[in-house]
Amino acid sequence: MNIRLMGLIAALATGFSAGACAHTNLTSMYTDIAGKSCKKTFVDKITGAYTLRCPGVGKYRLHIHDDDERRSIDIVAADAQVFALNYWEVVTHGFSSLGKKAEWRVADVGGKTVPVALIVRLNVMDQSDPERPKRRQVLVVAHIGKDTACVVKVIDAASADANAAARAAADRQPQACLKSDAR
């Protein structure tokens, strides 16, 4: 085999390894998604639907949407790109509410905090048995990329080690986005 070709193969293999391990030292940062830290930016006077702008990390922020007792989140990137997570389509069609905090999984890239995932607690109304609807909690994990963000995992918050499982899912790169009606 040609020495240049072997060198190229070795360089590519090293590059792929580095890319796969690019987010090995992730940490968590938390921001409020309820209360005074969020500001109402839109209200539909007819339906009562509204949007809140909440803080984030690393020049990112969140938009919280409430429409007909259902909640969802948009991630707003530093360059103002908006990534709709569509909880009401991807996680549940039923009534839902958010926890009070968002957990951001972040990497330190050249001294800058870069979010790579978001974990949010979502309280959902399980109406699989219409006679006995049940409220349950899930942890919704979304990956954040340079030009994309989407929900990749929904974890039952009542399961053993749910928080650790959510962080493990958040730290695993890459994963396929969940589609509408995935749950």
Side-chain angles (χ1 to χ4, degrees), residues 66-176:
D66 179 297
D67 189 4
D68 191 30
E69 299 298 321
R70 292 164 176 84
R71 308 297 185 296
S72 189
I73 292 181
D74 294 346
I75 296 173
V76 182
D79 63 1
Q81 287 187 83
V82 177
F83 304 110
L85 298 181
N86 294 316
Y87 287 179
W88 35 49
E89 293 176 17
V90 176
V91 180
T92 182
H93 292 287
F95 298 122
S96 61
S97 63
L98 297 168
K100 295 183 180 192
K101 299 238 180 239
E103 179 178 356
W104 299 81
R105 296 296 287 167
V106 299
D108 182 339
V109 179
K112 293 183 181 181
T113 300
V114 178
V116 298
L118 178 73
I119 303 169
V120 174
R121 184 173 299 269
L122 187 67
N123 304 298
V124 300
M125 185 59 71
D126 180 352
Q127 295 177 321
S128 57
D129 178 358
E131 298 294 320
R132 292 179 182 82
K134 295 182 273 187
R135 185 173 303 278
R136 64 186 188 94
Q137 294 185 350
V138 295
L139 298 176
V140 182
V141 180
H143 276 178
I144 303 168
K146 182 179 177 192
D147 296 315
T148 186
C150 67
V151 174
V152 295
K153 189 84 171 168
V154 178
I155 297 167
D156 184 349
S159 65
D161 298 324
N163 290 328
R167 288 184 193 109
D171 296 355
R172 196 169 28 256
Q173 300 277 338
Q175 287 186 49

Side-chain angles (χ1 to χ4, degrees), residues 30-35 37-38 54-56 62 100-102 104:
Y30 299 87
T31 58
D32 291 328
I33 55 174
S37 61
C38 297
C54 298
L62 298 174
K100 295 183 180 192
K101 299 238 180 239
W104 299 81

